[in-house]
Each structure stands twice: as C-alpha cells, then as structure tokens.
Amino acid sequence: MARFTLPRDLYHGKGSLETLKTLKGTKAVIVVGGGSMKRNGFLQRAEEYLNEAGMEVKLIEGVEPDPSVTTVMNGAQVMLDFEPDWIVAMGGGSPIDAAKAMWIKYEYPECTFEDMCKVFGIPELRKKAHFCAIPSTSGTATEVTAFSIITDYEKGIKYPIADFEITPDVAIVDPDLAETMPQKLTAHTGMDAMTHAIEAYVSTANSDYTDPLAIHAIEMIMNELVPSYNGDMEARAKMHNAQCLAGMSFSNALLGIVHSMAHKTGAIFQDYGAHIIHGAANAMYLPKVIAFNAKDETAKKRYGVIADYMGLGGESDDEKVQLLIDYLRGMNDKLNIPHCIKNYGADSYPCEQGFVPEEVFLERVHDIAVNAIGDACTGSNPRQPSVEEMEKLLKCCYYDTEVDF
C-alpha cells in the first residue's frame, strides 16, 4: 500500500494571499525570514487579513537561511507562550521549514530534535494548531510537502524531517510574492525544483499519481526557468506553479541521492566562510547522479522518458541520458551556476578556485559519504551506492570528472 498526501486546500493565482481572511481561529503566529516580506508589504497585508478574520497575531521574525535547531526551539517557546491555533509561515523555504519544526515542538514540548528526525515517526499533530504555508520563492515547494530541512550547526549537517503529519493544511501559492525574488535566488530555487521533479520521477517510490506531476513540472521548468531568471514575470508566475507541482510529486514519491549529497555538503565547509547553497548544490550534482543512476536499467529508461518529454532527441536510452545531462549542464551555464565544488565561489558564482580547498574536501569526503548514505533521501534512490561509490561520486562532483562506475 502507498500513500498520496497533499494540503487539504491549495489557493493559487494572483491575489490569493487574501485567502487568509477566511481562516477560522482566535490566535495566529506568523513565522517569517529576514525581512523581504516586510519590505515588500506582504507581511503587513497578511497581518491585516488575519485581523479581519478576527485573530490576534504575533510575529516570529528573522528566521535565517538554513534555519538552526536553536531557531526552532526558540520559536516553539514563543508558540507555547502565545498558544496560537493557526501557524502561518511565509517567505522562502527556510521560515516555512522552521515553522514546521516549531509546530512539532509546540504540540509536543517533550519532543527532542532527535525525535523529530525519526523518519515518519512524528505523533499526530493538529491537537493545538493548523498550519498555513505561503511561499515567496519558486523551488522548495515546502508549502505542499511532508518535509522540513533543519541545520545542526555544531555538526555542520542539514537534517531532513520527514512525516506526512507536517504537510500543511493550507497552501497559498500567490505569484505576487515570487516577483520579489533576486536573480540568483530565482536560479537556485528553480534548479531545486527541477531536481525535485527528476528525482521524484526516477525514485523507487514513484507511482501513477506522482509521475504526471513530475513530468509536467519538468516541461514547465524547461520552458519557464531561464525566462524567469531573465526577468519575465509571466514566466515567474508559471515557475511558481511548476515548483509546486514538483513538490506535490516528490513529497509522495520521495527523492534521491542528489538531495542526500546536497544536505550533507551544504554546511560542512562553513568554517571556510560560506555554505554551498542548496539549489546550487542540486544543480551541480544532478548531472553526475543521473550518470551514476543510469547504470540501473530501470532508471535509465525513466531518464529516457524524461528526455522524450523534453524533446531532446536521441535514438537509444544511452543517447537520451547523455542529452539530458548535456541539457542540464547548459541550463546551469545560462543560470550562472558552477559545474562543480572546485569552481564554486563563496558568492555561489563560477570561479577558477572555489572557497572549498581541495585538501579540506579530501579530508572530509569519507565522513560526508557516510552521512549521505544515512540521509533520509537515499533509500528511494534507484541505485543504492556503497560508501566507496558515494566517495567517488562526491569526488566527481568536486572535480567535474566523468562518472564511469
């Protein structure tokens, strides 16, 4: 038996933020990030709509990119003191992910972060509050997923929390919010969405329910991401829908080792002054993982189907896989994303020598490989790597060398 779970209600289209007026409750907490929602007037509008719905509102502001365990625990304490019956999270993936983890701790104060990380082990929520998610970026799709990514900065590791319980009750996908994205963020979140759709389609948990969502998302991202990056706001609105469709797919079909590797490399080099931004990591690793997974015949055929839907040509599945890899690398070029860690600058742009020194990478690659194998996303990857294979794959992602194993 398999399961397919999405928010009960999804409101979409320009102006759909106004749906907040219809929520029923007495108290709402709004969780937001670094200030873009306030600067652009969306936070104030959300407060006004919730006040119109008859709710007292409290803010939890300043959730950082790659939210920490500390941020989650502090936010949960605010909720325990205020006792909201609605949690409204708005902004990029970070405040929404953080709010999901806060929600767990609010409903179950005795729950530890380690408890939260037990895959599909969270007790029943909604005893105290319901959850509404409003994305401002077009990539993570956390507004429709059963996932949250929280960073343990002491270990330098991002941990996925995975449970259908944290799938939001209401998602509001309003393209007005996405118009505020900077160009770099548009690129990274867009490639995150592309990775979601491709990994979901080849995942061992794919199904007739998830495949159409993944394929349509891929087609849309192929057509809309680069124009959106270049400032086309009609394309930006379509990307906001495309990333959501990709999220619907992967939340139910799960992901693969592109995400496992991105989770475990994102913060591990922070002592050298930067993170490898999640969407950029996915964009760099995706072509390498496709080459690795395509050694599995079932995965190779499914990559071939993706290439067919994209109209890339090719006679054999091998040719189609190579054309898919080439196309994705070309997208990275158009989006100013490097091809490998070695050329990943501290500002995320391509450079001759990136911020991660070779000797540091080689010192840490074994531990990264072990952690990636243990990541929640690895189990649904179509080809299960050994630690040795994961190390080799990570080295290909560092040097941009061919995956021939």
Side-chain angles (χ1 to χ4, degrees):
M1 183 181 73
R3 179 174 174 177
F4 186 86
T5 300
L6 295 174
R8 183 184 183 280
D9 293 301
L10 191 152
Y11 300 92
H12 58 95
K14 291 180 79 67
S16 53
L17 183 65
E18 197 169 343
T19 305
L20 289 173
K21 290 180 183 178
T22 67
L23 300 185
K24 302 287 191 291
T26 58
K27 289 183 178 182
V29 66
I30 302 178
V31 183
V32 291
S36 66
M37 292 296 93
K38 182 181 282 187
R39 284 193 305 276
N40 293 294
F42 295 115
L43 177 57
Q44 294 89 328
R45 217 179 300 169
E47 283 188 85
E48 289 166 9
Y49 291 149
L50 289 167
N51 289 153
E52 265 188 75
M55 287 194 241
E56 182 185 349
V57 178
K58 189 170 189 64
L59 303 182
I60 298 175
E61 299 183 79
V63 174
E64 73 274 38
D66 305 310
S68 67
V69 178
T70 302
T71 294
V72 167
M73 297 306 168
N74 290 342
Q77 188 58 53
V78 172
M79 292 180 187
L80 285 162
D81 294 340
F82 184 62
E83 298 184 334
D85 41 28
W86 273 99
I87 298 166
V88 177
M90 65 187 303
S94 295
I96 299 174
D97 279 3
K100 286 179 175 180
M102 293 172 192
W103 184 22
I104 301 167
K105 185 73 174 174
Y106 169 49
E107 299 240 357
Y108 293 95
E110 72 285 356
C111 185
T112 65
F113 181 64
E114 289 70 25
D115 293 333
M116 294 182 195
C117 293
K118 293 171 184 170
V119 178
F120 295 100
I122 293 169
E124 184 180 349
L125 298 179
R126 297 163 181 82
K127 307 286 189 185
K128 296 180 179 179
H130 286 80
F131 195 100
C132 173
I134 309 166
S136 65
T137 61
S138 302
T140 68
T142 189
E143 73 275 7
V144 293
T145 75
F147 299 96
S148 164
I149 308 299
I150 305 298
T151 302
D152 183 331
Y153 282 91
E154 288 184 14
K155 296 179 180 176
I157 294 174
K158 295 183 181 183
Y159 288 95
I161 299 171
D163 198 291
F164 288 118
E165 283 297 320
I166 60 171
T167 304
D169 300 287
V170 175
I172 299 175
V173 185
D174 188 333
D176 286 345
L177 279 70
E179 290 185 3
T180 64
M181 280 195 298
Q183 193 177 48
K184 181 164 76 171
L185 187 60
T186 302
H188 293 163
T189 55
M191 287 308 292
D192 191 18
M194 180 66 99
T195 306
H196 289 156
I198 291 176
E199 287 211 292
Y201 192 76
V202 300
S203 161
T204 56
N206 73 75
S207 73
D208 290 340
Y209 294 85
T210 60
D211 284 353
L213 293 164
I215 287 293
H216 190 50
I218 291 166
E219 290 176 313
M220 289 182 73
I221 296 165
M222 178 187 185
N223 292 326
E224 309 300 344
L225 176 53
V226 173
S228 172
Y229 174 77
N230 289 323
D232 181 334
M233 288 303 154
E234 188 177 337
R236 184 77 54 88
K238 290 177 180 175
M239 270 301 302
H240 212 43
N241 289 337
Q243 64 86 31
C244 188
L245 295 173
M248 293 178 187
S249 182
F250 91 77
S251 186
N252 292 280
L254 308 179
L255 292 165
I257 59 172
V258 178
H259 273 77
S260 303
M261 294 157 66
H263 292 155
K264 303 320 181 198
T265 53
I268 197 69
F269 303 110
Q270 62 180 325
D271 50 332
Y272 283 82
H275 282 201
I276 301 176
I277 296 169
H278 180 72
N282 283 339
M284 292 190 295
Y285 306 163
L286 180 58
K288 303 301 182 191
V289 169
I290 290 173
F292 175 81
N293 284 343
K295 305 293 191 292
D296 174 90
E297 286 300 317
T298 301
K300 185 198 293 186
K301 283 184 171 57
R302 291 186 76 80
Y303 288 129
V305 172
I306 291 172
D308 287 341
Y309 274 102
M310 293 173 73
L312 301 182
E315 295 298 319
S316 67
D317 284 328
D318 286 321
E319 287 178 13
K320 292 173 185 178
V321 168
Q322 190 56 53
L323 288 165
L324 176 59
I325 289 170
D326 293 344
Y327 184 89
L328 293 169
R329 287 175 65 89
M331 278 192 87
N332 287 348
D333 289 334
K334 290 173 183 174
L335 299 169
N336 207 16
I337 296 173
H339 291 298
C340 62
I341 299 170
K342 181 173 179 285
N343 300 132
Y344 183 94
D347 58 2
S348 85
Y349 292 124
C351 63
E352 193 162 331
Q353 180 54 59
F355 84 94
V356 182
E358 180 180 20
E359 65 275 11
V360 173
F361 173 80
L362 293 173
E363 281 169 10
R364 301 182 186 182
V365 68
H366 175 74
D367 289 344
I368 296 169
V370 170
N371 289 329
I373 293 287
D375 189 89
C377 294
T378 299
S380 47
N381 195 69
R383 184 182 171 198
Q384 288 298 302
S386 64
V387 173
E388 182 185 8
E389 287 170 332
M390 181 61 82
E391 280 190 51
K392 289 169 71 175
L393 190 53
L394 285 160
K395 287 176 182 176
C396 291
C397 292
Y398 184 86
Y399 296 108
D400 192 20
T401 48
E402 186 180 350
V403 178
D404 58 0
F405 53 92

